[in-house]
Amino acid sequence: MIGQIWATERTRSGRDDEPDDATVLKRSRHDPEVFAVLFQRHAGQLLRYVGRRIGPEAAEDVLADTFLEAFRQRHRYDHSRPDARPWLYGIATNRMGRYRRTELKQLRATERTGTDPVLEAFTERSDARVSAGALGRRLAGALARLPRGHRDALLLVAWAEMTYEEAAEALGTPVGTVRSRISRARRKLREEFAGVDPMAVEKGPVNE
């Protein structure tokens, strides 16, 4: 079932009468089945992000663990935050910790072959932001050489398209720490790419 999500996008109609994530989580306290709405909204994009980092097989395990943990913690969710994405990505980031070697192995494979194995599931899309093939072998190697905390912060902003504030919420760190880590990560990338930040080229300008 989870494998089918690879071909889906996050579905949010944008209708004014659609409850936000905080409302969904609040309702799910008394009606657990409502929690499925959160899964439908975010599972596709989250699986793509995690899979891009650690591969499809491990990503499905992380996705299942993430939503199981989110369901268990739904009573503790801060309802002043209408968007649950940072919360979910934070749980997923913690779960990915035990797959650090898998992530590095995947980056090294992309660096060596120039082919992103995860991208094969999305050949019908033209999405350079999640394409290691588009980013190139050198970028994969450069990302592998970053400290994990710097890579986590950078990729939440560059690939998950979060703001610095959202990334800080996801990582449970002050926004100043996130800014510092991303700044250092981008500096390292610029050093390897003759002054050009390849992540900024792919994503576009990011408000510092």
Side-chain angles (χ1 to χ4, degrees), residues 74-93:
R74 70 191 189 283
H75 295 84
R76 301 169 57 188
Y77 185 76
D78 181 357
H79 296 126
S80 69
R81 301 182 182 278
D83 187 355
R85 273 206 333 143
W87 180 60
L88 292 171
Y89 278 68
I91 296 173
T93 298

Side-chain angles (χ1 to χ4, degrees), residues 10-18 41:
R10 185 175 51 157
T11 57
R12 304 198 71 164
S13 67
R15 291 167 46 187
D16 291 339
D17 60 346
E18 187 177 72
R41 288 179 177 177

